[in-house]
Amino acid sequence: MKTVEPLRSILHRLIWPSLLVIVSLGVLGAFWHVANTRNYTNLESYFLQICVALIGIAVSFYSARLSVREAAREIIKPHARSAFRRLLSLYRSISEVGRIIELSRNAESLDSDKVILAELKGIVFWKLVTADDALEDWKDIVPDEVKELDRKLSAVNATEERR
């Protein structure tokens, strides 16, 4: 999958622009040759205008597509960074939960169990807050998907409360 993306990128960045330039030069050369040998007929003049317009539209479409992709990447970058930071935070806290569980295996007193459970409860609470913040970040980008996820989470919570 990783090798397909560079090939696609090469196709979009090199081949299509080169193809557009070659077609443009070919059309220009053909009309230049005709202009040097005789005068254009009305039909040829219209055809030249149509060719120039179509090539212009194709170049505009292609360049707009590239600039929109770049703009989208620039808009998404801050959200991706914050999501990545939150993912790292969640990863660290899960590691901490694992460490505390490992410590609880070695603990023998009932008081230490209560302390460990309190620590775990605090970690879980703050990780849920982090997850909620991450969902808020993504509401700006994909609001429909976040609403669907909220709906699913509400259904899961309702099911757990019935137990």
Side-chain angles (χ1 to χ4, degrees):
M1 192 74 160
K2 289 184 178 182
T3 58
V4 172
E5 190 58 36
L7 292 175
R8 208 175 273 161
S9 178
I10 290 171
L11 179 70
H12 287 294
R13 292 181 189 260
L14 297 175
I15 294 175
W16 287 116
S18 300
L19 186 62
L20 286 172
V21 167
I22 290 169
V23 168
S24 298
L25 291 175
V27 169
L28 178 66
F31 279 99
W32 179 77
H33 176 69
V34 170
N36 284 333
T37 57
R38 61 179 172 79
N39 289 333
Y40 289 132
T41 64
N42 285 340
L43 183 61
E44 289 170 335
S45 180
Y46 294 138
F47 184 66
L48 173 62
Q49 291 174 8
I50 289 171
C51 286
V52 168
L54 289 176
I55 290 170
I57 289 169
V59 168
S60 297
F61 177 77
Y62 179 75
S63 62
R65 215 170 134 192
L66 286 180
S67 64
V68 164
R69 281 188 184 157
E70 289 301 317
R73 283 189 186 120
E74 290 303 315
I75 289 171
I76 295 294
K77 271 184 187 179
H79 293 288
R81 284 187 194 125
S82 67
F84 187 69
R85 281 191 301 270
R86 292 184 198 287
L87 179 63
L88 287 175
S89 174
L90 289 169
Y91 179 80
R92 286 185 196 126
S93 67
I94 291 171
S95 297
E96 182 66 13
V97 168
R99 185 187 69 77
I100 291 171
I101 289 172
E102 194 60 38
L103 284 175
S104 72
R105 288 183 180 175
N106 299 331
E108 294 182 15
S109 74
L110 192 58
D111 289 336
S112 67
D113 288 344
K114 289 180 181 179
V115 170
I116 289 170
L117 285 175
E119 285 182 30
L120 288 174
K121 183 178 180 182
I123 290 172
V124 168
F125 172 78
W126 286 111
K127 291 306 116 189
L128 287 173
V129 169
T130 301
D132 288 341
D133 290 344
L135 284 175
E136 284 298 318
D137 290 344
W138 284 105
K139 275 185 185 177
D140 297 337
I141 300 170
V142 284
D144 295 335
E145 286 80 358
V146 173
K147 283 180 186 175
E148 179 66 22
L149 182 61
D150 280 341
R151 189 186 61 74
K152 287 178 182 178
L153 289 174
S154 296
V156 167
N157 288 339
T159 303
E160 288 178 1
E161 286 176 4
R162 283 187 224 141
R163 289 183 191 175

